PDB file of all heavy atoms in Angstrom:
ATOM      1  N   THR A1056       9.678  -6.300  15.801  1.00 59.00           N
ATOM      2  CA  THR A1056       9.854  -5.298  16.926  1.00 59.00           C
ATOM      3  C   THR A1056      10.332  -6.074  18.160  1.00 59.00           C
ATOM      4  O   THR A1056      10.391  -5.501  19.170  1.00 59.00           O
ATOM      5  CB  THR A1056       8.709  -4.581  17.175  1.00 59.00           C
ATOM      6  OG1 THR A1056       7.639  -5.430  17.487  1.00 59.00           O
ATOM      7  CG2 THR A1056       8.258  -3.603  15.950  1.00 59.00           C
ATOM      8  N   ASP A1057      10.785  -7.219  18.137  1.00 72.00           N
ATOM      9  CA  ASP A1057      11.159  -8.016  19.268  1.00 72.00           C
ATOM     10  C   ASP A1057      12.541  -7.549  19.720  1.00 72.00           C
ATOM     11  O   ASP A1057      13.353  -6.887  18.899  1.00 72.00           O
ATOM     12  CB  ASP A1057      11.116  -9.467  19.010  1.00 72.00           C
ATOM     13  CG  ASP A1057      11.989  -9.913  17.814  1.00 72.00           C
ATOM     14  OD1 ASP A1057      11.512  -9.814  16.700  1.00 72.00           O
ATOM     15  OD2 ASP A1057      13.181 -10.308  18.034  1.00 72.00           O
ATOM     16  N   ASP A1058      13.035  -7.858  20.915  1.00 79.00           N
ATOM     17  CA  ASP A1058      14.285  -7.434  21.406  1.00 79.00           C
ATOM     18  C   ASP A1058      15.494  -7.990  20.620  1.00 79.00           C
ATOM     19  O   ASP A1058      16.417  -7.392  20.492  1.00 79.00           O
ATOM     20  CB  ASP A1058      14.400  -7.908  22.935  1.00 79.00           C
ATOM     21  CG  ASP A1058      13.394  -7.235  23.803  1.00 79.00           C
ATOM     22  OD1 ASP A1058      12.919  -6.106  23.397  1.00 79.00           O
ATOM     23  OD2 ASP A1058      13.111  -7.624  24.809  1.00 79.00           O
ATOM     24  N   ALA A1059      15.311  -9.203  20.099  1.00 76.00           N
ATOM     25  CA  ALA A1059      16.387  -9.855  19.309  1.00 76.00           C
ATOM     26  C   ALA A1059      16.653  -9.050  18.049  1.00 76.00           C
ATOM     27  O   ALA A1059      17.765  -8.860  17.609  1.00 76.00           O
ATOM     28  CB  ALA A1059      16.152 -11.313  18.954  1.00 76.00           C
ATOM     29  N   THR A1060      15.568  -8.587  17.464  1.00 79.00           N
ATOM     30  CA  THR A1060      15.658  -7.827  16.147  1.00 79.00           C
ATOM     31  C   THR A1060      16.334  -6.456  16.491  1.00 79.00           C
ATOM     32  O   THR A1060      17.332  -6.015  15.766  1.00 79.00           O
ATOM     33  CB  THR A1060      14.323  -7.635  15.498  1.00 79.00           C
ATOM     34  OG1 THR A1060      13.798  -8.934  15.285  1.00 79.00           O
ATOM     35  CG2 THR A1060      14.508  -6.881  14.189  1.00 79.00           C
ATOM     36  N   ARG A1061      15.949  -5.890  17.542  1.00 82.00           N
ATOM     37  CA  ARG A1061      16.382  -4.485  17.899  1.00 82.00           C
ATOM     38  C   ARG A1061      17.955  -4.687  18.199  1.00 82.00           C
ATOM     39  O   ARG A1061      18.795  -3.821  17.791  1.00 82.00           O
ATOM     40  CB  ARG A1061      15.622  -3.871  19.051  1.00 82.00           C
ATOM     41  CG  ARG A1061      14.317  -3.329  18.633  1.00 82.00           C
ATOM     42  CD  ARG A1061      13.735  -2.473  19.749  1.00 82.00           C
ATOM     43  NE  ARG A1061      13.304  -3.341  20.855  1.00 82.00           N
ATOM     44  CZ  ARG A1061      12.037  -3.865  20.930  1.00 82.00           C
ATOM     45  NH1 ARG A1061      11.179  -3.425  20.000  1.00 82.00           N
ATOM     46  NH2 ARG A1061      11.694  -4.541  21.937  1.00 82.00           N
ATOM     47  N   LEU A1062      18.350  -5.668  18.796  1.00 85.00           N
ATOM     48  CA  LEU A1062      19.760  -5.933  19.241  1.00 85.00           C
ATOM     49  C   LEU A1062      20.507  -6.149  18.037  1.00 85.00           C
ATOM     50  O   LEU A1062      21.727  -5.701  17.861  1.00 85.00           O
ATOM     51  CB  LEU A1062      19.900  -7.080  20.210  1.00 85.00           C
ATOM     52  CG  LEU A1062      21.312  -7.578  20.648  1.00 85.00           C
ATOM     53  CD1 LEU A1062      21.906  -6.443  21.287  1.00 85.00           C
ATOM     54  CD2 LEU A1062      21.140  -8.684  21.433  1.00 85.00           C
ATOM     55  N   TYR A1063      20.001  -7.045  17.042  1.00 84.00           N
ATOM     56  CA  TYR A1063      20.711  -7.308  15.706  1.00 84.00           C
ATOM     57  C   TYR A1063      21.036  -5.981  15.018  1.00 84.00           C
ATOM     58  O   TYR A1063      22.182  -5.808  14.548  1.00 84.00           O
ATOM     59  CB  TYR A1063      20.038  -8.213  14.944  1.00 84.00           C
ATOM     60  CG  TYR A1063      20.362  -8.351  13.522  1.00 84.00           C
ATOM     61  CD1 TYR A1063      21.602  -8.918  13.220  1.00 84.00           C
ATOM     62  CD2 TYR A1063      19.667  -7.731  12.450  1.00 84.00           C
ATOM     63  CE1 TYR A1063      22.058  -8.995  11.835  1.00 84.00           C
ATOM     64  CE2 TYR A1063      20.064  -7.851  11.197  1.00 84.00           C
ATOM     65  CZ  TYR A1063      21.242  -8.419  10.882  1.00 84.00           C
ATOM     66  OH  TYR A1063      21.760  -8.507   9.553  1.00 84.00           O
ATOM     67  N   LEU A1064      19.984  -5.116  14.960  1.00 87.00           N
ATOM     68  CA  LEU A1064      20.149  -3.859  14.316  1.00 87.00           C
ATOM     69  C   LEU A1064      21.277  -3.016  14.851  1.00 87.00           C
ATOM     70  O   LEU A1064      22.153  -2.425  14.204  1.00 87.00           O
ATOM     71  CB  LEU A1064      18.804  -3.098  14.117  1.00 87.00           C
ATOM     72  CG  LEU A1064      17.752  -3.724  13.270  1.00 87.00           C
ATOM     73  CD1 LEU A1064      16.483  -2.903  13.384  1.00 87.00           C
ATOM     74  CD2 LEU A1064      18.137  -3.901  11.864  1.00 87.00           C
ATOM     75  N   ALA A1065      21.108  -2.848  16.227  1.00 87.00           N
ATOM     76  CA  ALA A1065      21.974  -2.011  16.902  1.00 87.00           C
ATOM     77  C   ALA A1065      23.558  -2.542  16.780  1.00 87.00           C
ATOM     78  O   ALA A1065      24.442  -1.747  16.689  1.00 87.00           O
ATOM     79  CB  ALA A1065      21.622  -1.870  18.399  1.00 87.00           C
ATOM     80  N   SER A1066      23.719  -3.923  16.970  1.00 88.00           N
ATOM     81  CA  SER A1066      25.008  -4.427  16.920  1.00 88.00           C
ATOM     82  C   SER A1066      25.568  -4.413  15.657  1.00 88.00           C
ATOM     83  O   SER A1066      26.860  -4.479  15.514  1.00 88.00           O
ATOM     84  CB  SER A1066      24.878  -5.924  17.477  1.00 88.00           C
ATOM     85  OG  SER A1066      24.168  -6.661  16.661  1.00 88.00           O
ATOM     86  N   SER A1067      24.799  -4.409  14.562  1.00 89.00           N
ATOM     87  CA  SER A1067      25.476  -4.389  13.192  1.00 89.00           C
ATOM     88  C   SER A1067      25.474  -2.924  12.605  1.00 89.00           C
ATOM     89  O   SER A1067      25.829  -2.850  11.549  1.00 89.00           O
ATOM     90  CB  SER A1067      24.650  -5.398  12.318  1.00 89.00           C
ATOM     91  OG  SER A1067      23.254  -4.937  12.139  1.00 89.00           O
ATOM     92  N   GLY A1068      25.093  -1.960  13.245  1.00 92.00           N
ATOM     93  CA  GLY A1068      24.991  -0.574  12.812  1.00 92.00           C
ATOM     94  C   GLY A1068      23.832  -0.216  11.900  1.00 92.00           C
ATOM     95  O   GLY A1068      23.920   0.739  11.158  1.00 92.00           O
ATOM     96  N   GLN A1069      22.958  -1.097  11.901  1.00 93.00           N
ATOM     97  CA  GLN A1069      21.760  -0.845  10.997  1.00 93.00           C
ATOM     98  C   GLN A1069      20.596  -0.160  11.807  1.00 93.00           C
ATOM     99  O   GLN A1069      20.712  -0.065  12.939  1.00 93.00           O
ATOM    100  CB  GLN A1069      21.230  -2.153  10.467  1.00 93.00           C
ATOM    101  CG  GLN A1069      22.195  -2.891   9.611  1.00 93.00           C
ATOM    102  CD  GLN A1069      21.566  -4.218   8.973  1.00 93.00           C
ATOM    103  OE1 GLN A1069      20.655  -4.194   8.142  1.00 93.00           O
ATOM    104  NE2 GLN A1069      21.950  -5.378   9.596  1.00 93.00           N
ATOM    105  N   ARG A1070      19.684   0.390  11.025  1.00 93.00           N
ATOM    106  CA  ARG A1070      18.434   0.892  11.534  1.00 93.00           C
ATOM    107  C   ARG A1070      17.263   0.399  10.569  1.00 93.00           C
ATOM    108  O   ARG A1070      17.566   0.093   9.370  1.00 93.00           O
ATOM    109  CB  ARG A1070      18.474   2.391  11.509  1.00 93.00           C
ATOM    110  CG  ARG A1070      18.653   3.124  10.175  1.00 93.00           C
ATOM    111  CD  ARG A1070      18.503   4.472  10.286  1.00 93.00           C
ATOM    112  NE  ARG A1070      18.631   5.131   8.983  1.00 93.00           N
ATOM    113  CZ  ARG A1070      17.947   5.950   8.390  1.00 93.00           C
ATOM    114  NH1 ARG A1070      16.759   6.423   9.003  1.00 93.00           N
ATOM    115  NH2 ARG A1070      18.144   6.445   7.193  1.00 93.00           N
ATOM    116  N   ALA A1071      16.057   0.443  11.038  1.00 91.00           N
ATOM    117  CA  ALA A1071      14.968   0.118  10.105  1.00 91.00           C
ATOM    118  C   ALA A1071      14.803   1.369   9.135  1.00 91.00           C
ATOM    119  O   ALA A1071      14.923   2.461   9.413  1.00 91.00           O
ATOM    120  CB  ALA A1071      13.686   0.037  11.043  1.00 91.00           C
ATOM    121  N   LEU A1072      14.437   0.912   7.927  1.00 94.00           N
ATOM    122  CA  LEU A1072      14.362   1.802   6.828  1.00 94.00           C
ATOM    123  C   LEU A1072      13.064   2.531   6.890  1.00 94.00           C
ATOM    124  O   LEU A1072      11.970   2.016   6.769  1.00 94.00           O
ATOM    125  CB  LEU A1072      14.516   1.026   5.439  1.00 94.00           C
ATOM    126  CG  LEU A1072      14.417   1.884   4.177  1.00 94.00           C
ATOM    127  CD1 LEU A1072      15.706   2.686   4.154  1.00 94.00           C
ATOM    128  CD2 LEU A1072      14.342   0.940   3.101  1.00 94.00           C
ATOM    129  N   PRO A1073      13.095   3.898   6.928  1.00 93.00           N
ATOM    130  CA  PRO A1073      11.795   4.757   6.941  1.00 93.00           C
ATOM    131  C   PRO A1073      11.184   4.532   5.613  1.00 93.00           C
ATOM    132  O   PRO A1073      11.819   4.458   4.591  1.00 93.00           O
ATOM    133  CB  PRO A1073      12.301   6.168   7.230  1.00 93.00           C
ATOM    134  CG  PRO A1073      13.670   6.029   7.787  1.00 93.00           C
ATOM    135  CD  PRO A1073      14.240   4.792   7.261  1.00 93.00           C
ATOM    136  N   ALA A1074       9.815   4.593   5.629  1.00 91.00           N
ATOM    137  CA  ALA A1074       9.047   4.324   4.332  1.00 91.00           C
ATOM    138  C   ALA A1074       9.332   5.301   3.196  1.00 91.00           C
ATOM    139  O   ALA A1074       9.524   5.080   2.140  1.00 91.00           O
ATOM    140  CB  ALA A1074       7.558   4.332   4.686  1.00 91.00           C
ATOM    141  N   ALA A1075       9.483   6.570   3.649  1.00 92.00           N
ATOM    142  CA  ALA A1075       9.680   7.636   2.668  1.00 92.00           C
ATOM    143  C   ALA A1075      11.033   7.469   1.913  1.00 92.00           C
ATOM    144  O   ALA A1075      11.132   7.633   0.702  1.00 92.00           O
ATOM    145  CB  ALA A1075       9.632   9.071   3.345  1.00 92.00           C
ATOM    146  N   GLU A1076      11.993   6.996   2.621  1.00 95.00           N
ATOM    147  CA  GLU A1076      13.387   6.749   2.059  1.00 95.00           C
ATOM    148  C   GLU A1076      13.320   5.531   1.169  1.00 95.00           C
ATOM    149  O   GLU A1076      13.890   5.630   0.050  1.00 95.00           O
ATOM    150  CB  GLU A1076      14.466   6.560   3.092  1.00 95.00           C
ATOM    151  CG  GLU A1076      14.654   7.736   3.964  1.00 95.00           C
ATOM    152  CD  GLU A1076      15.854   7.529   4.930  1.00 95.00           C
ATOM    153  OE1 GLU A1076      16.496   6.544   4.918  1.00 95.00           O
ATOM    154  OE2 GLU A1076      15.901   8.375   5.869  1.00 95.00           O
ATOM    155  N   GLY A1077      12.551   4.491   1.549  1.00 95.00           N
ATOM    156  CA  GLY A1077      12.446   3.356   0.788  1.00 95.00           C
ATOM    157  C   GLY A1077      11.758   3.561  -0.531  1.00 95.00           C
ATOM    158  O   GLY A1077      12.164   3.061  -1.685  1.00 95.00           O
ATOM    159  N   VAL A1078      10.667   4.301  -0.476  1.00 94.00           N
ATOM    160  CA  VAL A1078       9.865   4.543  -1.583  1.00 94.00           C
ATOM    161  C   VAL A1078      10.595   5.410  -2.608  1.00 94.00           C
ATOM    162  O   VAL A1078      10.609   5.252  -3.810  1.00 94.00           O
ATOM    163  CB  VAL A1078       8.455   5.233  -1.354  1.00 94.00           C
ATOM    164  CG1 VAL A1078       7.797   5.714  -2.477  1.00 94.00           C
ATOM    165  CG2 VAL A1078       7.634   4.253  -0.599  1.00 94.00           C
ATOM    166  N   ALA A1079      11.356   6.439  -2.095  1.00 94.00           N
ATOM    167  CA  ALA A1079      12.199   7.227  -3.046  1.00 94.00           C
ATOM    168  C   ALA A1079      13.355   6.374  -3.667  1.00 94.00           C
ATOM    169  O   ALA A1079      13.658   6.591  -4.862  1.00 94.00           O
ATOM    170  CB  ALA A1079      12.711   8.489  -2.261  1.00 94.00           C
ATOM    171  N   LEU A1080      13.902   5.559  -2.876  1.00 96.00           N
ATOM    172  CA  LEU A1080      15.000   4.725  -3.340  1.00 96.00           C
ATOM    173  C   LEU A1080      14.482   3.684  -4.431  1.00 96.00           C
ATOM    174  O   LEU A1080      15.217   3.443  -5.375  1.00 96.00           O
ATOM    175  CB  LEU A1080      15.631   3.913  -2.260  1.00 96.00           C
ATOM    176  CG  LEU A1080      16.914   3.209  -2.473  1.00 96.00           C
ATOM    177  CD1 LEU A1080      17.934   4.051  -3.102  1.00 96.00           C
ATOM    178  CD2 LEU A1080      17.455   2.458  -1.216  1.00 96.00           C
TER     179      LEU A1080
END
Side-chain angles (χ1 to χ4, degrees):
T1056 57
D1057 57 276
D1058 290 339
T1060 303
R1061 284 192 287 268
L1062 178 60
Y1063 165 71
L1064 292 177
S1066 63
S1067 60
Q1069 296 184 74
R1070 64 174 179 130
L1072 181 68
E1076 293 181 14
V1078 171
L1080 187 58

